[in-house]
Short mmCIF file of all heavy atoms in Angstrom, two decimals:
data_model
loop_
_atom_site.label_atom_id
_atom_site.label_comp_id
_atom_site.label_asym_id
_atom_site.label_seq_id
_atom_site.Cartn_x
_atom_site.Cartn_y
_atom_site.Cartn_z
N GLY A 134 0.41 6.53 25.35
CA GLY A 134 0.77 7.95 25.27
C GLY A 134 -0.39 8.85 25.62
O GLY A 134 -0.22 9.88 26.31
N LEU A 135 -1.60 8.49 25.17
CA LEU A 135 -2.78 9.26 25.54
C LEU A 135 -3.04 9.20 27.05
O LEU A 135 -3.37 10.21 27.68
CB LEU A 135 -4.00 8.74 24.79
CG LEU A 135 -4.11 9.13 23.31
CD1 LEU A 135 -5.25 8.37 22.64
CD2 LEU A 135 -4.30 10.63 23.16
N LEU A 136 -2.89 8.02 27.62
CA LEU A 136 -3.07 7.87 29.07
C LEU A 136 -2.09 8.75 29.84
O LEU A 136 -2.47 9.44 30.80
CB LEU A 136 -2.90 6.41 29.47
CG LEU A 136 -2.95 6.10 30.97
CD1 LEU A 136 -4.32 6.46 31.55
CD2 LEU A 136 -2.62 4.64 31.23
N ALA A 137 -0.83 8.74 29.41
CA ALA A 137 0.18 9.55 30.09
C ALA A 137 -0.12 11.04 29.95
O ALA A 137 0.08 11.81 30.89
CB ALA A 137 1.56 9.22 29.53
N ALA A 138 -0.61 11.45 28.77
CA ALA A 138 -0.91 12.86 28.56
C ALA A 138 -2.12 13.29 29.39
O ALA A 138 -2.13 14.38 30.00
CB ALA A 138 -1.17 13.12 27.08
N ILE A 139 -3.15 12.45 29.41
CA ILE A 139 -4.36 12.80 30.17
C ILE A 139 -4.08 12.84 31.66
O ILE A 139 -4.60 13.70 32.40
CB ILE A 139 -5.49 11.80 29.84
CG1 ILE A 139 -5.92 11.96 28.38
CG2 ILE A 139 -6.69 11.99 30.76
CD1 ILE A 139 -6.86 10.87 27.91
N ARG A 140 -3.24 11.92 32.13
CA ARG A 140 -2.90 11.84 33.56
C ARG A 140 -1.51 12.38 33.84
O ARG A 140 -0.83 11.89 34.73
CB ARG A 140 -2.99 10.38 34.02
CG ARG A 140 -4.34 9.74 33.82
CD ARG A 140 -5.39 10.42 34.64
NE ARG A 140 -6.69 9.76 34.49
CZ ARG A 140 -7.81 10.23 35.02
NH1 ARG A 140 -7.80 11.36 35.70
NH2 ARG A 140 -8.96 9.59 34.83
N ARG A 141 -1.09 13.40 33.12
CA ARG A 141 0.28 13.88 33.25
C ARG A 141 0.55 14.36 34.68
O ARG A 141 -0.28 15.01 35.31
CB ARG A 141 0.53 15.02 32.27
CG ARG A 141 -0.40 16.18 32.36
CD ARG A 141 -0.02 17.25 31.36
NE ARG A 141 -1.04 18.27 31.21
CZ ARG A 141 -0.90 19.35 30.49
NH1 ARG A 141 0.22 19.57 29.83
NH2 ARG A 141 -1.89 20.23 30.39
N GLY A 142 1.74 14.01 35.14
CA GLY A 142 2.15 14.36 36.49
C GLY A 142 1.64 13.42 37.55
O GLY A 142 2.04 13.55 38.72
N ARG A 143 0.78 12.47 37.17
CA ARG A 143 0.23 11.55 38.15
C ARG A 143 0.88 10.17 37.99
O ARG A 143 1.75 9.96 37.17
CB ARG A 143 -1.29 11.45 37.98
CG ARG A 143 -2.00 12.80 38.07
CD ARG A 143 -3.49 12.65 37.82
NE ARG A 143 -4.12 13.96 37.64
CZ ARG A 143 -5.41 14.13 37.32
NH1 ARG A 143 -6.18 13.06 37.11
NH2 ARG A 143 -5.91 15.33 37.18
N LEU A 144 0.43 9.23 38.80
CA LEU A 144 1.03 7.90 38.81
C LEU A 144 0.98 7.21 37.45
O LEU A 144 2.00 6.64 37.02
CB LEU A 144 0.35 7.03 39.87
CG LEU A 144 0.89 5.60 40.01
CD1 LEU A 144 2.37 5.61 40.38
CD2 LEU A 144 0.08 4.81 41.04
N PRO A 145 -0.16 7.20 36.73
CA PRO A 145 -0.16 6.55 35.41
C PRO A 145 0.88 7.14 34.46
O PRO A 145 1.52 6.41 33.70
CB PRO A 145 -1.59 6.77 34.90
CG PRO A 145 -2.41 6.92 36.13
CD PRO A 145 -1.53 7.65 37.08
N ASP A 146 1.04 8.45 34.50
CA ASP A 146 2.03 9.10 33.65
C ASP A 146 3.43 8.63 34.00
O ASP A 146 4.23 8.30 33.12
CB ASP A 146 1.90 10.61 33.80
CG ASP A 146 2.89 11.38 32.92
OD1 ASP A 146 3.34 10.81 31.90
OD2 ASP A 146 3.21 12.53 33.25
N ARG A 147 3.74 8.58 35.28
CA ARG A 147 5.08 8.15 35.70
C ARG A 147 5.33 6.69 35.34
O ARG A 147 6.44 6.33 34.93
CB ARG A 147 5.24 8.39 37.20
CG ARG A 147 5.30 9.87 37.60
CD ARG A 147 5.78 10.03 39.02
NE ARG A 147 4.81 9.53 39.98
CZ ARG A 147 3.83 10.25 40.52
NH1 ARG A 147 3.71 11.53 40.18
NH2 ARG A 147 3.01 9.73 41.40
N LEU A 148 4.32 5.85 35.49
CA LEU A 148 4.48 4.43 35.15
C LEU A 148 4.72 4.25 33.65
O LEU A 148 5.58 3.47 33.23
CB LEU A 148 3.24 3.65 35.58
CG LEU A 148 3.04 3.48 37.09
CD1 LEU A 148 1.72 2.76 37.37
CD2 LEU A 148 4.20 2.72 37.71
N VAL A 149 3.96 4.98 32.83
CA VAL A 149 4.12 4.86 31.38
C VAL A 149 5.50 5.36 30.96
O VAL A 149 6.18 4.73 30.14
CB VAL A 149 3.01 5.65 30.65
CG1 VAL A 149 3.32 5.78 29.16
CG2 VAL A 149 1.66 4.97 30.85
N GLN A 150 5.94 6.48 31.51
CA GLN A 150 7.25 7.01 31.14
C GLN A 150 8.38 6.09 31.59
O GLN A 150 9.38 5.92 30.88
CB GLN A 150 7.43 8.41 31.73
CG GLN A 150 6.52 9.46 31.12
CD GLN A 150 7.04 10.86 31.33
OE1 GLN A 150 8.08 11.24 30.80
NE2 GLN A 150 6.32 11.64 32.13
N THR A 151 8.21 5.47 32.76
CA THR A 151 9.22 4.52 33.23
C THR A 151 9.28 3.30 32.31
O THR A 151 10.36 2.84 31.94
CB THR A 151 8.91 4.08 34.66
OG1 THR A 151 8.91 5.22 35.53
CG2 THR A 151 9.95 3.08 35.16
N ALA A 152 8.11 2.79 31.94
CA ALA A 152 8.07 1.63 31.03
C ALA A 152 8.68 1.99 29.68
O ALA A 152 9.41 1.17 29.08
CB ALA A 152 6.63 1.16 30.85
N ALA A 153 8.41 3.19 29.19
CA ALA A 153 8.99 3.62 27.92
C ALA A 153 10.50 3.73 28.00
O ALA A 153 11.22 3.35 27.07
CB ALA A 153 8.38 4.94 27.48
N GLN A 154 10.99 4.22 29.12
CA GLN A 154 12.44 4.34 29.30
C GLN A 154 13.10 2.97 29.36
O GLN A 154 14.17 2.75 28.77
CB GLN A 154 12.74 5.12 30.59
CG GLN A 154 14.21 5.44 30.79
CD GLN A 154 14.76 6.33 29.69
OE1 GLN A 154 14.12 7.30 29.28
NE2 GLN A 154 15.94 6.01 29.19
N VAL A 155 12.45 2.03 30.04
CA VAL A 155 12.98 0.67 30.09
C VAL A 155 12.99 0.04 28.70
O VAL A 155 13.96 -0.60 28.28
CB VAL A 155 12.16 -0.20 31.07
CG1 VAL A 155 12.57 -1.66 30.97
CG2 VAL A 155 12.33 0.30 32.50
N GLY A 156 11.90 0.23 27.95
CA GLY A 156 11.83 -0.31 26.60
C GLY A 156 12.90 0.26 25.68
O GLY A 156 13.43 -0.45 24.82
N LEU A 157 13.24 1.54 25.87
CA LEU A 157 14.29 2.16 25.07
C LEU A 157 15.67 1.63 25.44
O LEU A 157 16.58 1.63 24.60
CB LEU A 157 14.27 3.68 25.27
CG LEU A 157 13.28 4.48 24.44
CD1 LEU A 157 13.25 5.92 24.91
CD2 LEU A 157 13.67 4.42 22.97
N SER A 158 15.82 1.17 26.67
CA SER A 158 17.13 0.76 27.16
C SER A 158 17.48 -0.67 26.80
O SER A 158 18.63 -1.08 26.95
CB SER A 158 17.19 0.92 28.69
OG SER A 158 16.86 2.25 29.09
N ILE A 159 16.50 -1.45 26.36
CA ILE A 159 16.73 -2.87 26.08
C ILE A 159 16.98 -3.04 24.58
O ILE A 159 16.11 -2.74 23.76
CB ILE A 159 15.53 -3.72 26.51
CG1 ILE A 159 15.24 -3.52 28.00
CG2 ILE A 159 15.80 -5.19 26.23
CD1 ILE A 159 14.02 -4.27 28.48
N PRO A 160 18.14 -3.54 24.19
CA PRO A 160 18.40 -3.76 22.75
C PRO A 160 17.49 -4.84 22.16
O PRO A 160 17.12 -5.79 22.85
CB PRO A 160 19.87 -4.22 22.73
CG PRO A 160 20.44 -3.84 24.06
CD PRO A 160 19.30 -3.88 25.03
N ALA A 161 17.13 -4.67 20.90
CA ALA A 161 16.28 -5.65 20.24
C ALA A 161 16.96 -7.01 20.17
O ALA A 161 16.29 -8.05 20.24
CB ALA A 161 15.92 -5.16 18.83
N LEU A 162 18.30 -7.03 20.06
CA LEU A 162 19.02 -8.30 20.03
C LEU A 162 18.80 -9.08 21.33
O LEU A 162 18.50 -10.28 21.30
CB LEU A 162 20.51 -8.04 19.83
CG LEU A 162 21.45 -9.25 20.02
CD1 LEU A 162 21.13 -10.33 19.01
CD2 LEU A 162 22.91 -8.81 19.91
N TRP A 163 18.91 -8.38 22.44
CA TRP A 163 18.73 -9.05 23.74
C TRP A 163 17.29 -9.53 23.89
O TRP A 163 17.05 -10.63 24.40
CB TRP A 163 19.10 -8.10 24.87
CG TRP A 163 19.14 -8.75 26.21
CD1 TRP A 163 20.20 -9.39 26.78
CD2 TRP A 163 18.06 -8.81 27.15
NE1 TRP A 163 19.84 -9.86 28.02
CE2 TRP A 163 18.53 -9.52 28.28
CE3 TRP A 163 16.75 -8.36 27.15
CZ2 TRP A 163 17.74 -9.78 29.39
CZ3 TRP A 163 15.95 -8.61 28.26
CH2 TRP A 163 16.44 -9.31 29.36
N LEU A 164 16.35 -8.71 23.45
CA LEU A 164 14.94 -9.12 23.50
C LEU A 164 14.70 -10.37 22.67
O LEU A 164 13.98 -11.28 23.09
CB LEU A 164 14.04 -7.99 23.02
CG LEU A 164 13.80 -6.83 23.98
CD1 LEU A 164 13.03 -5.72 23.27
CD2 LEU A 164 13.03 -7.30 25.21
N GLY A 165 15.28 -10.40 21.47
CA GLY A 165 15.11 -11.56 20.61
C GLY A 165 15.64 -12.83 21.25
O GLY A 165 14.97 -13.87 21.25
N LEU A 166 16.83 -12.75 21.82
CA LEU A 166 17.40 -13.92 22.49
C LEU A 166 16.58 -14.33 23.70
O LEU A 166 16.36 -15.53 23.96
CB LEU A 166 18.85 -13.63 22.90
CG LEU A 166 19.84 -13.39 21.76
CD1 LEU A 166 21.19 -12.95 22.30
CD2 LEU A 166 19.99 -14.64 20.91
N LEU A 167 16.09 -13.34 24.46
CA LEU A 167 15.25 -13.65 25.62
C LEU A 167 13.95 -14.32 25.20
O LEU A 167 13.52 -15.30 25.83
CB LEU A 167 14.94 -12.35 26.38
CG LEU A 167 13.99 -12.48 27.58
CD1 LEU A 167 14.60 -13.36 28.66
CD2 LEU A 167 13.65 -11.10 28.14
N PHE A 168 13.33 -13.84 24.14
CA PHE A 168 12.07 -14.42 23.68
C PHE A 168 12.28 -15.85 23.18
O PHE A 168 11.43 -16.72 23.39
CB PHE A 168 11.48 -13.56 22.56
CG PHE A 168 10.91 -12.26 23.05
CD1 PHE A 168 10.58 -11.25 22.15
CD2 PHE A 168 10.72 -12.02 24.39
CE1 PHE A 168 10.06 -10.05 22.59
CE2 PHE A 168 10.20 -10.82 24.85
CZ PHE A 168 9.86 -9.84 23.94
N ILE A 169 13.41 -16.09 22.50
CA ILE A 169 13.68 -17.45 22.03
C ILE A 169 13.79 -18.41 23.21
O ILE A 169 13.21 -19.50 23.20
CB ILE A 169 14.97 -17.48 21.19
CG1 ILE A 169 14.74 -16.77 19.85
CG2 ILE A 169 15.44 -18.91 20.96
CD1 ILE A 169 15.99 -16.64 19.00
N TYR A 170 14.52 -17.98 24.24
CA TYR A 170 14.69 -18.86 25.41
C TYR A 170 13.37 -19.05 26.15
O TYR A 170 13.01 -20.18 26.50
CB TYR A 170 15.74 -18.28 26.36
CG TYR A 170 15.86 -19.09 27.64
CD1 TYR A 170 16.56 -20.30 27.64
CD2 TYR A 170 15.29 -18.65 28.82
CE1 TYR A 170 16.65 -21.06 28.80
CE2 TYR A 170 15.38 -19.39 29.98
CZ TYR A 170 16.07 -20.60 29.97
OH TYR A 170 16.16 -21.34 31.12
N MET A 171 12.63 -17.95 26.34
CA MET A 171 11.44 -18.03 27.17
C MET A 171 10.28 -18.72 26.46
O MET A 171 9.67 -19.66 26.99
CB MET A 171 11.00 -16.61 27.59
CG MET A 171 9.77 -16.56 28.49
SD MET A 171 9.29 -14.85 28.89
CE MET A 171 10.76 -14.27 29.73
N PHE A 172 9.97 -18.27 25.24
CA PHE A 172 8.76 -18.73 24.57
C PHE A 172 8.98 -19.93 23.64
O PHE A 172 8.03 -20.66 23.36
CB PHE A 172 8.13 -17.59 23.77
CG PHE A 172 7.66 -16.46 24.63
CD1 PHE A 172 8.36 -15.26 24.65
CD2 PHE A 172 6.54 -16.59 25.42
CE1 PHE A 172 7.94 -14.21 25.45
CE2 PHE A 172 6.11 -15.54 26.23
CZ PHE A 172 6.82 -14.35 26.24
N ALA A 173 10.21 -20.10 23.15
CA ALA A 173 10.48 -21.21 22.25
C ALA A 173 11.12 -22.40 22.96
O ALA A 173 10.70 -23.55 22.78
CB ALA A 173 11.38 -20.74 21.10
N VAL A 174 12.15 -22.13 23.76
CA VAL A 174 12.87 -23.21 24.41
C VAL A 174 12.16 -23.67 25.68
O VAL A 174 11.93 -24.88 25.87
CB VAL A 174 14.31 -22.78 24.73
CG1 VAL A 174 15.06 -23.88 25.48
CG2 VAL A 174 15.06 -22.41 23.45
N TYR A 175 11.80 -22.72 26.55
CA TYR A 175 11.24 -23.09 27.86
C TYR A 175 9.75 -23.41 27.78
O TYR A 175 9.31 -24.49 28.16
CB TYR A 175 11.49 -21.96 28.86
CG TYR A 175 11.04 -22.28 30.26
CD1 TYR A 175 11.76 -23.20 31.04
CD2 TYR A 175 9.92 -21.68 30.82
CE1 TYR A 175 11.36 -23.50 32.33
CE2 TYR A 175 9.50 -21.98 32.10
CZ TYR A 175 10.23 -22.89 32.85
OH TYR A 175 9.82 -23.20 34.12
N LEU A 176 8.94 -22.48 27.26
CA LEU A 176 7.50 -22.69 27.20
C LEU A 176 7.05 -23.44 25.95
O LEU A 176 5.96 -24.02 25.93
CB LEU A 176 6.78 -21.33 27.27
CG LEU A 176 6.97 -20.54 28.56
CD1 LEU A 176 6.31 -19.17 28.46
CD2 LEU A 176 6.40 -21.30 29.76
N ARG A 177 7.84 -23.37 24.89
CA ARG A 177 7.53 -24.03 23.62
C ARG A 177 6.19 -23.57 23.03
O ARG A 177 5.41 -24.35 22.53
CB ARG A 177 7.52 -25.56 23.80
CG ARG A 177 8.85 -26.11 24.23
CD ARG A 177 8.85 -27.63 24.29
NE ARG A 177 10.17 -28.11 24.69
CZ ARG A 177 10.47 -29.41 24.82
NH1 ARG A 177 9.55 -30.33 24.56
NH2 ARG A 177 11.68 -29.77 25.19
N TRP A 178 5.97 -22.26 23.13
CA TRP A 178 4.75 -21.68 22.57
C TRP A 178 4.94 -21.24 21.12
O TRP A 178 3.95 -21.01 20.42
CB TRP A 178 4.32 -20.48 23.40
CG TRP A 178 3.77 -20.84 24.75
CD1 TRP A 178 3.55 -22.09 25.24
CD2 TRP A 178 3.36 -19.93 25.77
NE1 TRP A 178 3.04 -22.03 26.51
CE2 TRP A 178 2.90 -20.70 26.86
CE3 TRP A 178 3.33 -18.55 25.90
CZ2 TRP A 178 2.42 -20.15 28.04
CZ3 TRP A 178 2.86 -17.98 27.07
CH2 TRP A 178 2.41 -18.77 28.12
N ALA A 179 6.16 -21.04 20.70
CA ALA A 179 6.42 -20.50 19.37
C ALA A 179 7.71 -21.10 18.83
O ALA A 179 8.55 -21.59 19.60
CB ALA A 179 6.52 -18.96 19.43
N PRO A 180 7.89 -21.10 17.51
CA PRO A 180 9.14 -21.60 16.93
C PRO A 180 10.30 -20.68 17.29
O PRO A 180 10.14 -19.47 17.47
CB PRO A 180 8.87 -21.60 15.43
CG PRO A 180 7.78 -20.61 15.24
CD PRO A 180 6.93 -20.67 16.47
N SER A 181 11.48 -21.26 17.38
CA SER A 181 12.67 -20.49 17.76
C SER A 181 13.25 -19.72 16.58
O SER A 181 14.10 -18.85 16.77
CB SER A 181 13.74 -21.42 18.34
OG SER A 181 14.12 -22.38 17.37
N GLY A 182 12.84 -20.02 15.39
CA GLY A 182 13.37 -19.31 14.22
C GLY A 182 12.95 -19.99 12.93
O GLY A 182 12.25 -21.00 12.94
N GLY A 183 13.41 -19.41 11.84
CA GLY A 183 13.04 -19.94 10.53
C GLY A 183 11.70 -19.40 10.07
O GLY A 183 10.95 -18.80 10.84
N PHE A 184 11.44 -19.61 8.80
CA PHE A 184 10.18 -19.15 8.22
C PHE A 184 9.66 -20.23 7.28
O PHE A 184 10.35 -20.62 6.33
CB PHE A 184 10.38 -17.84 7.46
CG PHE A 184 9.11 -17.23 6.96
CD1 PHE A 184 8.21 -16.65 7.84
CD2 PHE A 184 8.81 -17.23 5.61
CE1 PHE A 184 7.04 -16.08 7.38
CE2 PHE A 184 7.63 -16.67 5.15
CZ PHE A 184 6.75 -16.09 6.04
N PRO A 185 8.43 -20.73 7.52
CA PRO A 185 7.93 -21.85 6.71
C PRO A 185 7.48 -21.45 5.32
O PRO A 185 7.24 -22.32 4.47
CB PRO A 185 6.74 -22.36 7.54
CG PRO A 185 6.25 -21.14 8.26
CD PRO A 185 7.49 -20.34 8.57
N GLY A 186 7.34 -20.15 5.07
CA GLY A 186 6.82 -19.69 3.79
C GLY A 186 5.30 -19.52 3.87
O GLY A 186 4.62 -20.25 4.59
#
Side-chain angles (χ1 to χ4, degrees):
L135 284 172
L136 175 63
I139 293 171
R140 301 297 182 186
R141 56 179 168 174
R143 304 177 191 176
L144 180 60
D146 181 23
R147 291 194 292 270
L148 290 176
V149 169
Q150 292 201 67
T151 300
Q154 187 62 43
V155 172
L157 277 171
S158 305
I159 303 177
L162 170 62
W163 189 87
L164 283 173
L166 295 174
L167 176 64
F168 287 167
I169 289 175
Y170 175 77
M171 181 182 300
F172 296 107
V174 177
Y175 185 72
L176 296 175
R177 298 185 179 180
W178 288 356
S181 61
F184 186 71

